[in-house]
Amino acid sequence: VGLVLLDLSGNIAYHVRHSLTFQDVESYYAAVGHLARCALDCLGLQPSDVLGAGISLPAILSGDGSHAVNAGPLGVLKIARSSLEAFLPFACALCNDANAGGFADFWAMSSAGNFGGRSLAYLSVSDTVGGSIMIDGRMYTGLHQHSAEFGHMTLIPGGEKCYCGQLGCAYAYLNTRRLAEMAGGELESFFQRLEAGEPRFLEVWDQYLDYLALAINNIRIALDLDIIIGGYLGRYIGPYMAELKRRAGKRNMFEGTGDYLLASTQVCEAAA
């Protein structure tokens, strides 16, 4: 659970990350509420000082935003907003995590929310893989709130099984949990060992970059937009952007370059 308190200009006033295995039970939601109250206490704030809470989930949301209709990565389908609101002392809104992370980057890159005519795509690569799209300064969510589900594009036909039940989805090859599990469950440790030049980590990363470049090129071909690399991966991708651009450029049939790629500027709990 990542928690961030923002001031009215969007600046981070406080943040904390707490390990808490998701369960669709009252005790879990109570623990999240306790985390929020502790954050307020740390800053000497009262619940009345907070305008509201946005809750980002790796899930597809209902049209009215009252619940998640498919939170497969968390092992459940439906999560009601009311389950969390019962333990949070302010108004709440649910948001897809990739849309939330994308909006944070769009905001930061567009003069504090002056989006104007900016059009961008955001590829969120974390334990889940998703994304968001901004067209002419407005978030494009699709007819059924299903846009930019980049993690469920077929990357390798007949390949590894995805949690959605299909074979070969981008998620199955790009989720950062695959990398973290090589290093005792810590993504930071993976990149430390990669930087140290351990052969097995170099080999896995080389293949990973190929898969990532393939997915990125598919997005670019479909949308013809600049693409931000975000999610957990966005925190670590900076030193590898030149190589990623090179590989994406080799697949680019038009400009022959990967210069349309951007690293996320929001490296602290982007989705939150």
Side-chain angles (χ1 to χ4, degrees):
V1 178
L3 184 145
V4 173
L5 285 175
L6 302 175
D7 66 19
L8 295 182
S9 296
N11 302 310
I12 295 175
Y14 175 91
H15 71 91
V16 65
R17 187 171 183 81
H18 185 71
S19 181
L20 187 64
T21 301
F22 177 80
Q23 292 180 287
D24 187 22
V25 295
E26 186 175 279
S27 60
Y28 174 85
Y29 300 119
V32 173
H34 177 71
L35 190 66
R37 289 178 181 275
C38 287
L40 297 185
D41 291 342
C42 283
L43 294 181
L45 298 174
Q46 299 298 319
S48 58
D49 295 319
V50 179
L51 293 183
I55 302 166
S56 67
L57 298 167
I60 296 170
L61 305 181
S62 63
D64 63 2
S66 66
H67 61 280
V69 297
N70 188 338
L74 295 178
V76 298
L77 291 179
K78 186 174 180 178
I79 298 174
R81 183 181 64 206
S82 58
S83 297
L84 284 150
E85 282 182 317
F87 297 98
L88 291 169
F90 23 70
C92 299
L94 297 183
C95 185
N96 171 269
D97 59 345
N99 283 342
F103 192 88
D105 258 302
F106 298 154
W107 176 280
M109 296 177 67
S110 303
S111 183
N114 181 23
F115 301 129
R118 193 74 187 261
S119 297
L120 293 163
Y122 177 82
L123 175 60
S124 176
V125 186
S126 297
D127 286 354
T128 57
V129 179
S132 52
I133 301 167
M134 177 170 282
I135 303 292
D136 292 334
R138 298 176 65 87
M139 190 76 78
Y140 174 74
T141 57
L143 296 177
H144 304 96
Q145 312 292 315
H146 299 166
S147 76
E149 285 289 345
F150 301 136
H152 297 290
M153 299 187 305
T154 300
L155 196 64
I156 307 294
E160 294 185 29
K161 190 172 184 178
C162 177
Y163 70 84
C164 74
Q166 301 295 323
L167 300 179
C169 289
Y171 162 85
Y173 296 88
L174 297 181
N175 75 81
T176 54
R177 188 176 298 157
R178 289 171 63 101
L179 304 179
E181 286 175 351
M182 289 185 61
E186 296 293 333
L187 188 59
E188 183 175 3
S189 295
F190 174 89
F191 282 98
Q192 288 173 343
R193 296 175 70 172
L194 177 65
E195 184 65 23
E198 294 190 30
R200 187 165 66 95
F201 287 77
L202 290 170
E203 181 182 353
V204 167
W205 183 242
D206 180 66
Q207 180 66 79
Y208 184 91
L209 283 179
D210 276 345
Y211 289 142
L212 183 58
L214 176 58
I216 287 168
N217 185 66
N218 288 343
I219 297 169
R220 173 71 173 185
I221 289 294
L223 299 176
D224 191 24
L225 297 176
D226 288 349
I227 300 170
I228 302 169
I229 309 299
Y232 295 167
L233 186 64
R235 180 180 299 182
Y236 302 101
I237 196 63
Y240 309 98
M241 281 297 289
E243 176 60 18
L244 180 58
K245 287 181 178 182
R246 186 188 70 80
R247 298 189 189 206
K250 288 177 64 177
R251 293 184 174 277
N252 186 340
M253 64 180 286
F254 297 109
E255 301 86 4
T257 176
D259 289 343
Y260 59 84
L261 284 174
L262 306 165
S264 172
T265 60
Q266 304 301 294
V267 297
C268 177
E269 302 293 351

